[in-house]
Amino acid sequence: NQPYQLSIGVELALLGTIAAIISGSEAVISAFSHRLFEKIGGQFSLLLIIIVSAITLFLLSQFHGLIGLLPIFIFLTLQTYRTNVVMTLYQKEANDAQRATMISTTSFLTYIFVGLMLPIGGLGIDIFGMRNVLALLGVFTLIVCLAGLIVYNKGKLGAGIK
């Protein structure tokens, strides 16, 4: 996110301060994410993560100037909540052997996906510009993640998990 921050006018000297503020907010989110998960539930948490992620990516494509820091802040702290939600769901829905396999597979697939998307995203930014790619990424996130949520729910129903 540093190239984006520089492109919206953030001074290089402020990047460390911004990173520290984001890290602090991520720590607070980590501390309270389980309580929030228990209050709103897994389904609503997943839906919230998907929709807010897509919206913040779209907002990043629209904002010019320092106001663009707000969606960055929301997006990054939300990703901390996402990580905790996914880990909680692993704990609730899988036995020990399944959990280890699920975590390893998720980690492997995440790194493969990121490894494939970075060059594609970079090429897209070169051709279409950062703002267009961010808007497209917001739409892509919404479509793919909602489809994944549907598949997840069908799998839970088939396995008899509530």
Side-chain angles (χ1 to χ4, degrees):
N1 71 41
Q2 290 176 351
Y4 177 82
Q5 289 180 45
L6 294 172
S7 77
I8 62 171
V10 174
E11 303 271 334
L12 185 61
L14 288 178
L15 291 178
T17 303
I18 292 167
I21 291 168
I22 290 171
S23 291
S25 69
E26 289 173 332
V28 171
I29 294 294
S30 288
F32 293 100
S33 62
H34 185 71
R35 286 186 201 165
L36 180 60
F37 176 85
E38 291 299 323
K39 283 185 181 181
I40 67 174
Q43 287 299 309
F44 189 73
S45 289
L46 291 172
L47 192 59
L48 179 74
I49 291 163
I50 292 166
I51 291 171
V52 174
S53 292
I55 289 170
T56 55
L57 287 165
F58 182 75
L59 289 175
L60 284 170
S61 75
Q62 301 302 307
F63 286 143
H64 307 283
L66 296 179
I67 192 75
L69 290 174
L70 182 61
I72 289 173
F73 177 80
I74 293 168
F75 185 80
L76 293 176
T77 54
L78 183 67
Q79 296 316 303
T80 300
Y81 182 64
R82 176 198 48 93
T83 299
N84 291 331
V85 165
V86 169
M87 290 301 170
T88 301
L89 290 173
Y90 285 163
Q91 292 291 335
K92 288 183 174 223
E93 297 182 11
N95 63 40
D96 290 340
Q98 291 172 330
R99 190 176 313 118
T101 301
M102 288 170 60
I103 291 171
S104 295
T105 303
T106 301
S107 179
F108 173 76
L109 292 175
T110 299
Y111 284 114
I112 293 294
F113 181 75
V114 169
L116 293 172
M117 291 308 293
L118 283 175
I120 293 169
L123 180 62
I125 289 169
D126 289 342
I127 295 171
F128 303 109
M130 186 179 304
R131 300 197 190 291
N132 290 329
V133 171
L134 285 169
L136 182 61
L137 188 57
V139 172
F140 177 81
T141 297
L142 188 62
I143 292 169
V144 170
C145 291
L146 285 176
L149 185 59
I150 290 167
V151 169
Y152 168 72
N153 285 328
K154 285 186 178 186
K156 280 178 52 175
L157 290 174
I161 299 172
K162 293 185 180 183

